[in-house]
Amino acid sequence: MTPPAIDMSSTTPATEDNKPRNSAFRIGLGDVTGNNLGQLKRLNSVLFPITYDKKFYDEMLEVGEFAKIIYFNDICVGGVCCRRENVEGSKGLQNLYIATLGVLAPYRRLGLGSRLLKHILESAELLPSTGSKIAKVYLHVQINNEEALAFYKKHEFVVAEECKNYYPQLEVSDALRLEKVITAEK
């Protein structure tokens, strides 16, 4: 079920590049469910050069707050998919891997990606009350994806490692692993 949208209203018309600017619009985050999984699959096929399999999407139905779709005026325009991973040699600590986070191009620079990321980071910080703590959130970005690199750096992610040939099926195969520490490992 999609939670009620947040109304962010004003009366200014759209800009000349047809991006809404201070115009009346609604933004809402929705859970990934069997009913909207097809929308998430379609979004990911448009946003990312990687094809994700059925197992990936089945897992997204089980991760709760770590898989979300974002709606703009009731239109599905972006999403985020994460998975929790145990930290080797640690009891009670996990890392959170952001497998996908994307917003359709016409809806970028409206704060929607930031809204998705903020939700993930806040959910990661809240986990101690429900079990394992999240030590860090991490992801991979193609080395030439300057827009994504700037986005994550703006949100205080740091480059942890360069990964040669991380995406062997892509022309630009190298990636950077970015991370943000949530809980210091103990």
Side-chain angles (χ1 to χ4, degrees):
M1 177 174 190
T2 302
I6 296 173
D7 187 12
M8 301 174 74
S9 300
S10 177
T11 57
T12 308
T15 61
E16 61 185 50
D17 63 358
N18 288 329
K19 288 188 178 182
R21 187 166 133 199
N22 297 327
S23 58
F25 58 87
R26 292 177 312 282
I27 297 172
L29 286 181
D31 294 331
V32 174
T33 69
N35 292 330
N36 62 19
L37 193 59
Q39 290 178 316
L40 180 63
K41 288 178 182 180
R42 181 67 180 131
L43 273 171
N44 284 349
S45 73
V46 170
L47 291 168
F48 304 107
I50 305 294
T51 302
Y52 295 93
D53 62 14
K54 181 181 181 333
K55 181 178 182 249
F56 174 86
Y57 290 105
D58 288 346
E59 289 172 0
M60 292 309 109
L61 293 172
E62 304 300 322
V63 296
E65 293 303 308
F66 295 121
K68 290 291 179 185
I69 291 178
I70 195 158
Y71 295 89
F72 183 89
N73 285 341
D74 302 323
I75 299 168
C76 178
V77 298
V80 61
C81 299
C82 305
R83 71 172 177 260
R84 293 164 62 171
E85 302 172 343
N86 292 327
V87 173
E88 193 173 319
S90 174
K91 291 185 178 183
L93 277 182
Q94 292 184 317
N95 292 327
L96 187 68
Y97 181 70
I98 299 176
T100 66
L101 189 156
V103 174
L104 295 173
Y107 299 92
R108 291 182 188 154
R109 304 216 184 279
L110 297 173
L112 303 177
S114 293
R115 176 89 183 269
L116 287 166
L117 184 57
K118 180 181 177 190
H119 174 82
I120 294 303
L121 295 174
E122 287 176 351
S123 296
E125 290 172 357
L126 291 175
L127 269 183
S129 63
T130 61
S132 298
K133 292 181 181 181
I134 298 295
K136 67 182 171 188
V137 176
Y138 77 105
L139 61 126
H140 291 90
V141 174
Q142 270 182 294
I143 204 159
N144 67 338
N145 190 340
E146 294 177 17
E147 185 178 13
L149 291 169
F151 172 79
Y152 287 108
K153 286 180 179 179
K154 179 177 86 172
H155 291 283
E156 301 175 346
F157 280 73
V158 296
V159 175
E161 172 184 25
E162 184 173 339
C163 305
K164 295 287 186 188
N165 205 31
Y166 184 79
Y167 299 109
Q169 70 277 38
L170 301 179
E171 186 175 322
V172 177
S173 63
D174 294 346
L176 295 173
R177 183 171 55 83
L178 306 176
E179 64 182 42
K180 182 173 184 166
V181 173
I182 303 295
T183 302
E185 292 188 42
K186 295 179 182 174

